[in-house]
Amino acid sequence: MKILVLGGTWFLGRAVAQTALDRGWEVTVFNRGRSGTTPEGARPVHGDRTDDADLVRLAGEGPWDAVVDTSASEMAPRTVLAGTRALESVAERYVYISTVNAYRGWPNDALAEDSEVLDGPPDADADYGRLPKGWDGPDWYYGRQKAGAERATTAAFGDDRTVILRPGVILGPGEYVGRLPWWLSRAARGGRMLAPGSPDKTIQPIDVRDVATFALDRAATDQGGAYNCVAPLGRDTMVDLLTACALATGGDAQLAWAPDKLLLDHGVKQWTELPLWRTHAGVWKIESTRAQAAGLLCRPLAETVADTWAWLRGGGMPVEHPRWAEHGITPDKEAVILEALGR
């Protein structure tokens, strides 16, 4: 197999490239050369996918059996469309990494792989879907952008040659967002540790290596389709995650569970101050039946946690990203809430 990875130097893109190399595949990575390093054995092509001349030059480096697009998370649909049109004649298949945010019902409703996707035209610019001032409804901007980008891939490659993967939260070695690294560092400090909501709350994070494996498996087939890439519904809980963090770090963290209402009353920011905590009913109710039938396998959450801690302890450094600073509650604010909980 000959594949082109758009991205390829950090987190998911790097996991895709490295997994493909481990399989003995021929790997080209295309990026600006500003973040991370190219995996040894991959062929680097540097350029900017927003530059038409760079896209033409990239197409000249083909052909490939498949493209795996891991670098379009914050790009307008029209940028994705330009790239897919440039590559359509030199690639047999296009695997686009989208997100569950593309569904109209997320995070309020339970979702399946045939749930309604948000509106978003394939040629939309970066302003499409922005909210007007005073809007108090759901913020669908990011989801609309991603839905438009999905349509951009099928507009160029067609349904049969396009694979769309919709992950939820991706964790594992190399994480740049800071969710799991924050929980691990907090558990390592030990002591009484604020734990959000109910210990039995289901969560569905997936390991980055499992997303990479599934993306390559689908790239090697002759079938298109859209798949939810999440851990099996009901398998893991918040207490599983936090207990795994405590065990991996060897600290003496004692979990102190705070009800949702108490956290909300203290103004705790959902999703960031206590990572992965969110009260919306559908945030962790995502079916992945089609993906599992197609071979998606998710390793135990405890393995993801332990491997991420080993990566951090071994000197692993994520690519710098502004989202890292958003995560984690301050010790002072945590102490106030712990005091309110009592003993």
Side-chain angles (χ1 to χ4, degrees):
M1 283 282 291
K2 295 175 62 177
I3 69 163
L4 168 65
V5 181
L6 301 183
T9 59
W10 50 295
F11 202 39
L12 178 57
R14 188 176 187 86
V16 169
Q18 188 60 60
T19 303
L21 289 167
D22 293 343
R23 294 182 178 191
W25 293 8
E26 185 177 323
V27 179
T28 301
V29 297
F30 178 70
N31 51 64
R32 295 176 297 177
R34 300 177 186 175
S35 301
T37 58
T38 299
E40 184 177 353
R43 177 168 65 105
V45 178
H46 290 158
D48 190 332
R49 61 187 293 179
T50 65
D51 187 312
D52 290 342
D54 283 354
L55 290 174
V56 171
R57 180 169 55 85
L58 173 63
E61 299 285 340
W64 296 279
D65 296 303
V67 178
V68 182
D69 187 351
T70 69
S71 69
S73 62
E74 297 178 5
M75 291 182 177
R78 66 171 50 179
T79 300
V80 177
L81 182 62
T84 54
R85 284 175 170 170
L87 296 171
E88 186 275 330
S89 64
V90 293
E92 292 297 320
R93 187 161 308 284
Y94 200 98
V95 180
Y96 177 67
I97 309 299
S98 184
T99 170
V100 294
N101 293 67
Y103 288 116
R104 181 174 294 277
W106 195 87
N108 296 307
D109 303 327
L111 296 172
E113 284 148 323
D114 59 356
S115 294
E116 181 184 2
V117 174
L118 286 162
D119 61 300
D123 59 349
D125 63 18
D127 288 328
Y128 183 84
R130 290 197 188 278
L131 302 176
K133 290 184 178 179
W135 175 260
D136 60 358
D139 185 354
W140 284 333
Y141 169 71
Y142 179 63
R144 281 173 165 161
Q145 289 280 307
K146 296 296 283 187
E150 290 183 6
R151 294 185 177 98
T153 64
T154 56
F157 277 78
D159 292 335
D160 292 340
R161 296 168 59 204
T162 301
V163 176
I164 295 171
L165 305 188
R166 298 185 183 122
V169 171
I170 304 177
L171 303 177
E175 185 197 335
Y176 65 91
V177 177
R179 295 178 175 117
L180 182 51
W182 185 84
W183 276 119
L184 283 163
S185 64
R186 175 60 190 89
R189 289 207 317 268
R192 204 161 169 246
M193 185 172 91
L194 186 62
S198 168
D200 296 328
K201 177 77 171 182
T202 292
I203 58 174
Q204 295 178 274
I206 188 170
D207 192 289
V208 62
R209 295 162 293 184
D210 296 333
V211 179
T213 296
F214 187 64
L216 294 175
D217 289 346
R218 301 318 298 164
T221 70
D222 60 357
Q223 298 176 341
Y227 304 88
N228 291 338
C229 289
V230 294
L233 184 63
R235 188 190 73 170
D236 301 313
T237 62
M238 187 63 77
V239 72
D240 293 332
L241 172 69
L242 300 189
T243 299
C245 288
L247 290 173
T249 59
D252 64 347
Q254 301 116 41
L255 303 181
W257 293 94
D260 291 339
K261 185 178 185 306
L262 180 64
L263 297 175
L264 294 172
D265 288 345
H266 281 81
V268 177
K269 294 178 182 177
Q270 297 192 49
W271 212 232
T272 54
E273 280 195 290
L274 292 173
L276 306 187
W277 169 68
R278 197 163 185 170
T279 60
H280 299 74
V283 67
W284 299 118
K285 293 182 180 179
I286 304 165
E287 290 188 6
S288 55
T289 306
R290 186 184 302 155
Q292 292 179 53
L296 174 65
L297 297 175
C298 297
R299 70 194 65 205
L301 180 58
E303 181 179 331
T304 300
V305 171
D307 289 352
T308 303
W309 181 242
W311 167 69
L312 291 168
R313 292 282 288 175
M317 292 292 293
V319 171
E320 291 187 7
H321 196 281
R323 293 180 68 184
W324 186 279
E326 297 175 357
H327 291 85
I329 193 170
T330 65
D332 288 346
K333 188 170 183 178
E334 181 186 25
V336 169
I337 300 173
L338 287 172
E339 181 67 26
L341 269 178
R343 290 287 176 179

